[in-house]
Amino acid sequence: MERGVEWKFEPTLDRIAALMDVLGSPQNSYPVIHVAGTNGKSSTTRMIETILRERNLRVGRFTSPHLVSMRERICVDGAPLSEERFVEVYEDIAPYLEMIDAQGRRLSFFETLTAMAFAAFADTPVDVAVIETGMGGSFDATNVADGAVAVITPVSLDHTDYLGPDVATIAGEKAGIIKPGATVVLAQQELPAAEVLLRRAAETGATVAREGLEFGVLARELAIGGQLLHLKSLKADYEEVLLPLYGAHQASNAACALAAAEALTAGDDPLDPELVRQAFLQVRSPGRLEVVRRGPTVLVDAAHNPGGIQATLEAVHESFGFARLIGVVAVFGDKDVRGILELMEPMFDEVVVTRNSSPRSMEPAELAALAREVFGPDRVSRADRLDDAIDIGVGLADEAGEFGGAGVLITGSVVTAGDARLLLKATEVK
C-alpha cells in the first residue's frame, strides 16, 4: 500500500501512538537505547549493538536510511530480517494499519517501518533494542518508545526546513528523546546545543554522562585498518581497543557507545575489558569511510551535511594521506550544497559531479555550475550517471601512476554511498 515518500515529515506522534496501542505497545516489551543526533547515529547504534551482542544478549537494531535493501533497517542478532520474515511482519501489522488509516490518520512510510521494527523485536523476542531516530527526536516516530538510555551524537545544521534554523532549536527537537529517569549520554556538543540538552536532562531528572567529563577518548593512535583507542567510560578505563574504523569522529562514537552499553548495565561492575576489545574488533559501519576497492584506493562515505563532510575529510587526511584525492560527488538539492563544496575544495585535487538514484538528487548540470564557482572550471568534471562518474574518478587517480598515492572518495549522500557500493559490488550490508 502506498505510504508516500520518506522525506515528507509531519510533526506528530498521534498516528504511530494509536497504532502502537492497537498492537499492544510492543515498544514497551524490552529496554530501549534510543540514539539521536545529526551525525554518527548509525555508526554509534551499530557499536552499541555489537557490545550488547558480545554480552550474549539478543539485540534488535533499527537504523535509517538503508544503503541497498530496506531489510537492513530492521536487524535481529546482527542480521537483517529475511525477505520472508520482512513480508510476514508487514502482513501481521497490515490490518491494524488499515484500522488507523480508516480513522483518517494515514500512517507514513517511516511510521510503518518503525511499527514493523517494534513488532518484530517483541515477537522475537529481543533482550534489548537499539533504536536510531529517523529525523529529529520529539516528533520522530521512534519516540513512542521510552529509552532507558538516550544517546545524543553531535548536533549540527541539517534538515533545517523541518527541525529549525539554528543548532539550539535543532537540539531542542532531539532532546525530546530524553525521558524522565533515563540516563542521557551526550557526545561533545556546540555550546548552544549543550545548554539545551542539559536543560532538558535537568527537567526530566535524567542522569547525565558527558563526553570529555564522565567519559571520553583518553588517547588514540593510527593502526592498520583503523585506530587503537584508550577509552574512559562510566565504570572503568579500557585500553588497547582496536576500532576498525577511521577518524576522530568514530573514536568519539565508540566512547558514546561504550558509555551507553555500560549505562544499561545494572550495578557498578564494569564490562570485561576483553569483551569490550572483542566487540569493537567486530564493528563494521558500511558506507562510512569504507574501502571498497584497492589500486587505486576507492572510499565510499555517506556524509551529507557540512558537519559530516568535515569529519570525513579530516579522517581521510589523517588515515590515508593521499598525495592526490579525487572526489566523486552526488548530493540532494535541499542540502547546503555550496557549504559542502567549499569544505571539499581544499581537499580534492579534482571533483567529478554526478547524480544518485534518488529523485531528490541535484541535477549534474546544476551541481557542476556550483562546483565550478567553488573549484574553478579546470578542476570539475561532470557525468550524468554515477557509474560513469566513478570511471572518470578512477581514471584521474590512475593518471597519478602506480606510486602516486592517489585515492577516490565517493560521497555526498547516503544514497550515493549505497549506489556506489552496489556498483562496486561491495560486501552485503549487515
Side-chain angles (χ1 to χ4, degrees):
M1 187 177 289
E2 177 60 41
R3 292 283 165 188
V5 292
E6 182 168 13
W7 55 89
K8 295 295 184 184
F9 176 69
E10 186 179 341
T12 178
L13 294 180
D14 291 348
R15 294 181 301 269
I16 186 71
L19 179 60
M20 290 295 102
D21 284 345
V22 297
L23 288 174
S25 299
Q27 78 279 13
N28 297 332
S29 302
Y30 34 77
V32 167
I33 297 179
H34 205 175
V35 183
T38 304
N39 293 306
K41 297 191 300 293
S42 290
S43 294
T44 303
T45 299
R46 285 174 166 273
M47 291 180 197
I48 296 168
E49 176 207 33
T50 307
I51 297 167
L52 297 176
R53 288 185 61 218
E54 192 65 21
R55 293 181 55 211
N56 293 317
L57 296 174
R58 172 162 278 189
V59 185
R61 182 185 84 218
F62 182 60
T63 54
S64 62
H66 58 276
L67 284 169
V68 178
S69 167
M70 189 82 65
R71 295 182 296 108
E72 296 163 26
R73 301 184 182 216
I74 306 174
C75 292
V76 175
D77 286 338
L81 297 186
S82 68
E83 292 179 3
E84 295 78 11
R85 180 62 181 145
F86 192 87
V87 171
E88 186 179 85
V89 172
Y90 176 76
E91 290 177 343
D92 284 347
I93 72 165
Y96 302 95
L97 289 170
E98 292 170 7
M99 188 184 305
I100 305 303
D101 288 347
Q103 299 172 4
R105 296 185 286 182
R106 186 170 183 75
L107 285 125
S108 70
F109 174 91
F110 184 72
E111 288 167 338
T112 302
L113 279 174
T114 301
M116 287 173 62
F118 286 139
F121 298 157
D123 193 53
T124 298
V126 299
D127 297 312
V128 58
V130 190
I131 306 293
E132 176 190 350
T133 59
M135 187 191 300
S138 295
F139 294 107
D140 189 78
T142 62
N143 205 32
V144 290
D146 291 331
V149 180
V151 182
I152 312 289
T153 66
V155 176
S156 59
L157 294 177
D158 200 7
H159 302 295
T160 52
D161 47 345
Y162 290 111
L163 302 181
D166 53 56
V167 166
T169 307
I170 294 171
E173 173 64 20
K174 296 181 187 295
I177 73 163
I178 303 171
K179 302 296 177 65
T183 297
V184 56
V185 174
L186 296 179
Q188 287 189 333
Q189 305 287 347
E190 295 180 32
L191 183 58
E195 289 175 343
V196 170
L197 294 167
L198 289 170
R199 189 180 310 120
R200 169 70 178 180
E203 290 168 355
T204 56
T207 302
V208 177
R210 297 157 293 180
E211 184 184 5
L213 294 172
E214 285 79 18
F215 72 94
V217 181
L218 294 182
R220 66 185 194 94
E221 58 185 84
L222 296 181
I224 295 173
Q227 52 192 312
L228 195 65
L229 307 179
H230 180 184
L231 300 174
K232 172 185 184 293
S233 201
L234 306 180
K235 300 177 182 178
D237 286 7
Y238 301 89
E239 299 184 64
E240 297 185 347
V241 176
L242 181 60
L243 177 67
L245 300 173
Y246 302 102
H249 61 296
Q250 293 290 17
S252 173
N253 292 339
C256 289
L258 183 54
E262 278 191 338
L264 193 71
T265 307
D268 297 322
D269 292 337
L271 298 174
D272 176 7
E274 190 55 35
L275 179 150
V276 171
R277 293 188 192 101
Q278 285 301 315
F280 278 114
L281 197 59
Q282 298 170 50
V283 165
R284 300 292 181 269
S285 195
R288 275 70 182 179
L289 213 51
E290 180 183 13
V291 178
V292 293
R293 176 176 164 175
R294 299 281 187 183
T297 299
V298 178
L299 304 168
V300 167
D301 192 84
H304 54 274
N305 55 49
I309 291 289
Q310 182 68 42
T312 291
L313 294 174
E314 289 174 0
V316 171
H317 178 71
E318 174 190 77
S319 302
F320 294 91
F322 295 120
R324 180 175 170 80
L325 182 61
I326 311 300
V328 174
V329 178
V331 295
F332 288 171
D334 57 359
K335 298 296 182 181
D336 179 7
V337 179
R338 181 177 289 276
I340 288 170
L341 291 171
E342 288 174 348
L343 288 170
M344 292 174 171
E345 190 277 330
M347 282 288 294
F348 290 160
D349 294 274
E350 296 189 56
V351 63
V352 186
V353 300
T354 185
R355 64 164 299 124
N356 58 45
S357 61
S358 170
R360 296 168 67 194
S361 187
M362 179 176 278
E363 289 300 324
E366 186 181 355
L367 183 54
L370 270 175
R372 290 185 184 113
E373 291 177 14
V374 174
F375 284 80
D378 296 339
R379 293 165 61 196
V380 179
S381 302
R382 169 187 151 193
D384 290 336
R385 292 171 27 148
L386 181 58
D387 54 351
D388 293 334
I390 293 171
D391 287 344
I392 293 169
V394 169
L396 289 169
D398 279 337
E399 287 175 8
E402 185 178 352
F403 302 105
V408 178
L409 173 60
I410 306 168
T411 190
S413 164
V414 177
V415 177
T416 304
D419 291 348
R421 290 185 92 258
L422 198 59
L423 289 166
L424 294 166
K425 297 180 172 58
T427 55
E428 182 184 358
V429 178
K430 290 184 177 179

